[in-house]
Amino acid sequence: MIFLFLFVQFFTSFSVPLLVGHQSLTIETLIYEKIRNTGSLADAILISFFESLFIMILLLFYRAQKGLSTLQNYEKVRLLSFKPALIVTLLPMCLYILGSISGSLLGIKQLLANRNIFDETLPLIIKSVILSLSTGLVLLVSLSLITFTYRNRFLDKFLLSFIPLSTVLIGLSFLLMDLKLGFIESDIKFLVAMLIIFLPVLYRYQLKARLYDLESQIEVASLMGSTRFLTFRKIVYPQIFPTILFLSGLGSFWAIGE
């Protein structure tokens, strides 16, 4: 399941092939080129359809996990105790940090040479921060609602099984949708798209395991006659709120790069 999840994520990756691949095309960058350069929406939709069909067939082999280990039962990763393996693990991170520092130094020189660029970038920085904080707020509300409806097995199975398709496909679907909301329409589409991409990942990453740890308390409260809302307000939400806050902040930080 891990292999399948990573394969789908890498197969539908967009940002890295676009920025690093240069002239090397992938399906994602081809869809982007069709829309951006030639305006061929029909070709882009056709390519997107075949990509979606391939992913859907592939996901037939994916099965949701019936249960997750609690946070206290994680096994030690023996690979990290082997020094040569630790070097191999840290090497990509060191390359990334060195590249970021090198690019930052070059960017500082360019900013000092052209200080008028601050007038152009400041409104964009403010807009990015607003969209990032808005994404975090939407995730906070959505994760709280998921926590309240945790006993809904269909929703739980869906969130565990759902692997979001590519950002290009999601963006293309919203591009073709006209909600007639005026100047805020693009921002609302962005928030909904981020919700589709992040919510299942954040749920599987930590929220599911934390809720699984509280099942015994939920069961005891139910046997003692507590209502669902009272159990949620007095037992579940106070313990789960720090996790929701952390995941919302993580999603907000993730969104500012999108």
Side-chain angles (χ1 to χ4, degrees):
M1 289 190 293
I2 294 175
F3 170 80
L4 182 59
F5 174 76
L6 292 177
F7 178 84
V8 172
Q9 293 296 320
F10 299 152
F11 183 81
T12 60
S13 176
F14 171 69
S15 301
V16 173
L18 179 67
L19 296 176
V20 180
H22 298 294
Q23 300 302 319
S24 300
L25 283 178
T26 64
I27 292 180
E28 295 295 296
T29 55
L30 179 60
I31 296 172
Y32 174 79
E33 293 289 335
K34 290 291 184 181
I35 299 174
R36 183 66 181 268
N37 294 339
T38 64
S40 303
L41 283 179
D43 293 341
I45 293 173
L46 183 62
I47 298 171
S48 300
F49 170 76
F50 284 115
E51 183 186 21
S52 301
L53 186 63
F54 173 74
I55 296 297
M56 289 173 61
I57 294 173
L58 195 63
L59 291 181
L60 293 177
F61 297 97
Y62 184 86
R63 293 294 181 269
Q65 301 178 57
K66 294 182 179 179
L68 295 177
S69 300
T70 57
L71 297 177
Q72 291 79 16
N73 292 336
Y74 286 140
E75 295 183 3
K76 181 180 179 181
V77 182
R78 299 184 182 277
L79 178 67
L80 299 182
S81 62
F82 185 55
K83 291 184 179 179
L86 185 61
I87 294 174
V88 173
T89 305
L90 294 177
L91 182 60
M93 188 181 301
C94 294
L95 291 175
Y96 168 74
I97 293 174
L98 291 174
S100 299
I101 294 175
S102 175
S104 298
L105 293 176
L106 178 61
I108 291 173
K109 291 181 181 179
Q110 293 176 346
L111 287 175
L112 293 177
N114 182 18
R115 298 188 178 183
N116 294 330
I117 197 172
F118 285 105
D119 297 333
E120 301 174 5
T121 56
L122 184 59
L124 301 179
I125 293 173
I126 295 175
K127 183 65 176 292
S128 296
V129 172
I130 292 175
L131 288 175
S132 174
L133 294 176
S134 300
T135 301
L137 182 61
V138 171
L139 285 172
L140 178 67
V141 175
S142 300
L143 292 172
S144 299
L145 291 174
I146 289 174
T147 302
F148 179 71
T149 59
Y150 171 61
R151 288 286 176 127
N152 188 322
R153 297 304 178 188
F154 174 79
L155 179 61
D156 176 67
K157 184 177 181 180
F158 173 78
L159 290 173
L160 286 176
S161 304
F162 179 68
I163 299 179
L165 294 179
S166 66
T167 52
V168 173
L169 288 178
I170 295 174
L172 179 60
S173 63
F174 281 108
L175 176 67
L176 300 175
M177 186 185 305
D178 186 10
L179 302 177
K180 302 186 184 303
L181 296 176
F183 67 95
I184 64 170
E185 179 171 339
S186 60
D187 295 341
I188 293 177
K189 288 180 177 179
F190 175 85
L191 294 177
V192 175
M194 293 299 97
L195 193 65
I196 293 173
I197 296 172
F198 297 157
L199 196 59
V201 178
L202 295 175
Y203 180 76
R204 287 192 297 264
Y205 171 59
Q206 199 171 99
L207 186 62
K208 168 62 179 179
R210 289 290 293 118
L211 289 171
Y212 185 78
D213 290 339
L214 297 178
E215 278 200 356
S216 59
Q217 299 182 39
I218 297 173
E219 188 69 25
V220 170
S222 178
L223 292 174
M224 294 180 67
S226 175
T227 62
R228 176 190 290 184
F229 180 75
L230 185 62
T231 303
F232 169 77
R233 186 167 63 91
K234 292 291 187 178
I235 298 175
V236 178
Y237 200 65
Q239 298 183 70
I240 213 73
F241 182 72
T243 300
I244 292 177
L245 204 60
F246 166 73
L247 294 176
S248 300
L250 186 64
S252 179
F253 181 75
W254 192 356
I256 202 169
E258 290 292 338

